[in-house]
Structure formats: C-alpha cells, structure tokens
Amino acid sequence: MPRTGSRHLLRTSGVEVFVTRKRMKNLRMRVDPRDASVQLSAPHHADEAEIAAFVARNLEWVVEAQTRARMNVPERLVSGGRARLWGQWRELVVSDGGRSTAHVEDGRIHIVRPDGDEEAARRALTALHRRELLPAVEHFLDVHSPYVGRRPSHVRLARMRSRWGSCNHVTGRMSFNVALAERPQTELEYVVVHELGHLLEANHGPAFKQHLTAMLPDWRSRDAGLKGRL
C-alpha cells in the first residue's frame, strides 16, 4: 500500500496527473491555477485503472480548467518571448539598463530592466499598457458619450481580478482594467459602451441592453469574446 502523502506522476487520456495518496474515501481532482497542473488526491485503495477512469470521465472539465489557468499564467519577459498588445502577440526584446522602460518599435516590444529584474520589466510593460490604454479609452468616450449626454466624472486605470470595468451610477466615476490593452480594441470599445450605459441604467435590465444596442449593435459578440478571459 502506498504511504500517505506519497506522490507520483500518471499520464492518462493525454494528461499529466500528479497523484497523491491520502486517507480519504473518494477521489478528488483540481487544476492548480499557478501552473495549470492537474493535482489528484486518491484513497489508498484506488488502483491506477480507477484513477484513469476518473480522469477520463472528467476530461472535458480538466481541459477547460487548464485553459483558464494558462490564460492567467504570465509569460516570462525575456528576449524572444512575447507579450500581448491590442490582441496581438508581440516579440520581446529585453535588455539590461539603469531604469525600467518599455516601448514599441518595429512591431516589437522593447523592454529595459535593471540587472535582470523581471518584476521591474513587468512594471514597465504595465506602464506601456497604461500609456496605450488611456487615449484609446478617451477616444471611445468621445465617440459614444454624445448618446448618453454626459461623460464620466473621473476615469481610472487599474488591475482588476474579476471585471473589465466598473461605473458608479451615482458619482459617474469609471474604472477600466489595464489588461484591456492586451485585448482587441473592438472589445475595449464594448467595455467603454457598457460602462457608459450604466450612467443611464444602474442594472443590466432590458432598458440597459436597449441602450447598448443603440450605441453598439454587435455588443453581444464583443461581450462573448471577453467572457472567461480574466
């Protein structure tokens, strides 16, 4: 009998599964959001065939969970690597220097970082995304604010874990996720229109959707492109 806490790698149904034996009654499986690895806890009495069958039955869930996790695993910022800008992957050119900066040149993203500091490089990339995002947000506000009859009282760019944007219906303050600079501008336009709609309607009822359709007739397809991307 395998000892409690023992761990081994099982390859089954085209998936690598890390199996840990525990004192338990039933099989349990999860996908680690940090690296998209499949972690399975199994009772001592479960044999390899039972574990393989369990993975096969849940294979669709595993694939979907790994896909979501991989979307959130940051790419390493090294020369020859890649980063997204406006829906396209751009090649990275990374060098060491005194101060962290990032800019776009010849279709590639050039990053300077001090002494190989990847966190500094990531901050520089975020600053680039902010510089790209703000004028694009302002442009779409210029395009669609006339329909609403007002502009937001304040615009903030921030990293958000669970939403692309927000709007305070009372104060008119809006926030937009910096990660929108990684998405196509058509999707950014939808988020701007969505938040402008909240200046007219606080909820997502029929009236709110009518306003979205008036401003952006294909808003549903753009919304679908963003779902599950955070």
Side-chain angles (χ1 to χ4, degrees):
M1 177 183 292
R3 69 183 185 278
T4 299
S6 65
R7 189 169 183 260
H8 71 280
L9 176 62
L10 173 67
R11 292 180 173 87
T12 180
S13 298
V15 178
E16 290 189 344
V17 181
F18 292 92
V19 180
T20 302
R21 298 286 180 171
K22 296 182 178 181
R23 289 192 176 92
M24 56 194 303
K25 292 183 178 181
N26 301 307
L27 294 162
R28 289 203 303 267
M29 185 166 56
R30 68 184 181 89
V31 171
D32 192 325
R34 297 170 296 181
D35 58 7
S37 62
V38 181
Q39 308 288 331
L40 187 145
S41 299
H44 292 292
H45 62 74
D47 59 23
E48 298 276 295
E50 183 179 351
I51 293 171
F54 180 80
V55 173
R57 288 197 303 273
N58 293 280
L59 186 59
E60 183 177 350
W61 173 85
V62 169
V63 172
E64 291 179 356
Q66 285 190 312
T67 299
R68 289 195 301 271
R70 284 167 179 152
M71 286 175 181
N72 291 321
V73 174
E75 297 272 335
R76 286 203 63 208
L77 301 184
V78 294
S79 285
R82 61 181 190 168
R84 280 186 301 184
L85 181 64
W86 298 130
Q88 295 183 340
W89 287 107
R90 306 290 186 100
E91 182 183 350
L92 293 176
V93 179
V94 180
S95 58
D96 291 340
R99 186 173 65 89
S100 58
T101 62
H103 69 279
V104 180
E105 183 180 333
D106 299 326
R108 298 185 293 179
I109 297 177
H110 294 251
I111 298 177
V112 177
R113 62 187 183 183
D115 301 321
D117 187 340
E118 186 162 340
E119 285 306 310
R122 202 164 297 284
R123 289 193 295 271
L125 180 61
T126 297
L128 171 65
H129 284 152
R130 285 177 177 273
R131 294 197 306 273
E132 291 277 335
L133 184 61
L134 185 56
V137 168
E138 293 291 348
H139 166 72
F140 290 127
L141 287 173
D142 288 341
V143 171
H144 296 287
S145 289
Y147 174 89
V148 179
R150 60 186 282 213
R151 291 178 65 91
S153 60
H154 176 77
V155 172
R156 171 176 169 263
L157 306 182
R159 282 287 178 186
M160 305 183 197
R161 290 184 176 274
S162 61
R163 59 178 63 187
W164 292 108
S166 65
C167 175
N168 187 306
H169 177 72
V170 177
T171 66
R173 294 174 66 89
M174 288 185 186
S175 295
F176 295 94
N177 195 327
V178 176
L180 282 165
E182 301 177 23
R183 308 298 307 162
Q185 288 203 13
T186 52
E187 294 177 3
L188 168 63
E189 183 178 21
Y190 160 68
V191 176
V192 171
V193 165
H194 184 107
E195 303 313 332
L196 280 172
H198 281 308
L199 294 179
L200 299 171
E201 299 289 337
N203 57 41
H204 295 100
F208 175 79
K209 293 174 182 176
Q210 287 174 5
H211 290 308
L212 293 191
T213 301
M215 288 186 279
L216 203 63
D218 65 343
W219 67 267
R220 287 181 174 84
S221 64
R222 303 192 196 200
D223 178 45
L226 281 169
K227 287 190 182 301
R229 299 297 180 183
L230 272 175

